[in-house]
Amino acid sequence: MSTARRDPFPALADQPLLRVNELVKHFPVKGGLFGRTSGSVRAVDGVSFELAKGETLGLVGESGCGKSTTGRCILRLIEPTSGEVWFEGRNVVGLGREAMRALCRDMQIIFQDPYASLDPRMTVGAIVGEALVIHNLTKTETQYRERIVELLETVGLHADHLRRYPHEFSGGQRQRIGIARALAVSPKLIVCDEPVSALDVSIQAQVINLLEDLQQKFDLTYLFIAHDLSVVEHISDRVAVMYLGRIVEIAPARELYTTPRHPYTEALLSAVPIPEPGLKRTRIRLVGDVPNPINPPSGCHFHPRCPKVMERCKTESPAFRQVSGGHWAACHLNDSAGLT
Ligand code: SF4
């Protein structure tokens, strides 16, 4: 029996916290004199994965591959075109406003840009406390203030920061404010949308360490989005690699870094520095840019840039195939390696 299929659900848990099933988001492209729809950007084109409670899944790919759109569709910040998002056994897609508002307590997001995601006119206390008010989580003024102080201290800030404004903080501190804001409602799942991309490398490590500590402390589940495999290496239990709106490989983190089964993952990995002095990877430089998602290439979408392209890749779309345990990849090179 062939195991090739498009929806990889590695057996992680009987009841995953999150199950994304064939998620699609197409943005219409308007053009011409009358602004008619002339096509669509296939930003997310059939993405499926599961996330177990307490797990971190790294979601990696170049700019424009659809990873942030996937994260936003899960939280319904963007309405998906089709597909299902099951959170604790409930399909989030199609939930009414009230039900969705209640669910916002369980699912939060940390944004990429700590400069743009905080309202400059609000004090840090008001930013962190906003969700406490919306969800009516504290009963008295004293409780409200104490909870904000507790949240600030949890992310490594101080009580006296609550009266200050975002512009008074460094990039790393602003991202800590964003994390405190997400924690205010005691969520179960946090979509970390490139939370360290805008920060200096030295600060990146501090924020990632903080996120790891918070995960332990509060039993959090992360979907950790990044464009760089080196960022997600240590925080992820599993890693999914996206290309042109689709997941092309998903595997336990260690396995993906040691034995990648997709040429695109190999190319991304070749850019990850090895910490041991004297050891260097041979850099695989991909030719050309990411193709236009309005009109993706035929066959394997990666074929115009693939260093291992074969004739059949130009016409045949590769099946998403299980290559071992929880390791799946979409590449014809794995056809003979599929589990039976
Ligand atoms: Fe490269 Fe072909 Fe594999 Fe696509 S299917 S990644 S073009 S070898």
Side-chain angles (χ1 to χ4, degrees), residues 93-235:
V93 179
L95 280 185
R97 245 174 90 181
E98 268 314 297
M100 205 54 226
R101 206 173 78 98
L103 209 64
C104 280
R105 280 192 59 184
D106 290 334
M107 301 198 292
Q108 285 289 306
I109 186 166
I110 300 166
F111 293 101
Q112 172 182 2
D113 189 348
Y115 298 91
S117 65
L118 306 176
D119 188 334
R121 296 160 303 178
M122 289 170 76
T123 62
V124 167
I127 290 169
V128 173
E130 194 175 21
L132 299 176
V133 176
I134 291 171
H135 294 282
N136 205 16
L137 296 178
T138 49
K139 301 280 173 267
T140 64
E141 189 66 31
T142 310
Q143 269 183 14
Y144 172 75
R145 196 178 176 284
E146 282 174 357
R147 177 69 175 136
I148 294 170
V149 169
E150 181 187 37
L151 286 161
L152 291 178
E153 289 176 348
T154 300
V155 299
L157 296 171
H158 305 293
D160 58 1
H161 285 149
L162 66 86
R163 283 194 197 84
R164 301 214 203 148
Y165 289 86
H167 73 267
E168 299 177 60
F169 294 86
S170 67
Q173 286 175 319
R174 287 186 214 199
Q175 198 51 290
R176 286 172 192 265
I177 297 166
I179 294 169
R181 174 175 61 182
L183 289 178
V185 288
S186 307
K188 295 173 181 166
L189 169 72
I190 300 184
V191 172
C192 306
D193 188 5
E194 303 219 32
V196 297
S197 302
L199 306 176
D200 291 346
V201 175
S202 57
I203 309 295
Q204 286 185 357
Q206 290 173 16
V207 172
I208 288 177
N209 288 342
L210 171 66
L211 288 169
E212 283 182 314
D213 291 346
L214 295 173
Q215 182 170 40
Q216 290 287 322
K217 195 167 173 187
F218 300 115
D219 200 15
L220 294 168
T221 304
Y222 291 146
L223 177 64
F224 196 103
I225 297 168
H227 59 257
D228 184 341
L229 271 172
S230 62
V231 169
V232 298
E233 183 167 6
H234 298 294
I235 197 169

Side-chain angles (χ1 to χ4, degrees), residues 262-264 300 302-303 306 308-310 313 318 330-333:
H262 194 286
Y264 181 57
C300 172
F302 186 53
H303 88 253
C306 180
K308 297 181 176 174
V309 62
M310 303 173 285
C313 305
C331 173
H332 291 309
L333 292 169

Side-chain angles (χ1 to χ4, degrees), residues 23 25 27 42-45 47 49 57-75 78 109 112 191-195 197 223-229 232 240-247 264 268 290:
L23 188 70
K25 179 63 192 178
F27 293 99
R42 295 152 76 161
V44 179
D45 208 14
V47 162
F49 61 85
L57 176 70
L59 188 60
V60 175
E62 289 164 286
S63 282
C65 72
K67 53 194 191 304
S68 287
T69 306
T70 300
R72 281 153 205 247
C73 282
I74 289 168
L75 301 179
I78 299 174
I109 186 166
Q112 172 182 2
V191 172
C192 306
D193 188 5
E194 303 219 32
S197 302
L223 177 64
F224 196 103
I225 297 168
H227 59 257
D228 184 341
L229 271 172
V232 298
V241 177
M242 272 188 88
Y243 188 78
L244 225 57
R246 293 181 179 170
I247 291 178
Y264 181 57
L268 292 182
V290 179

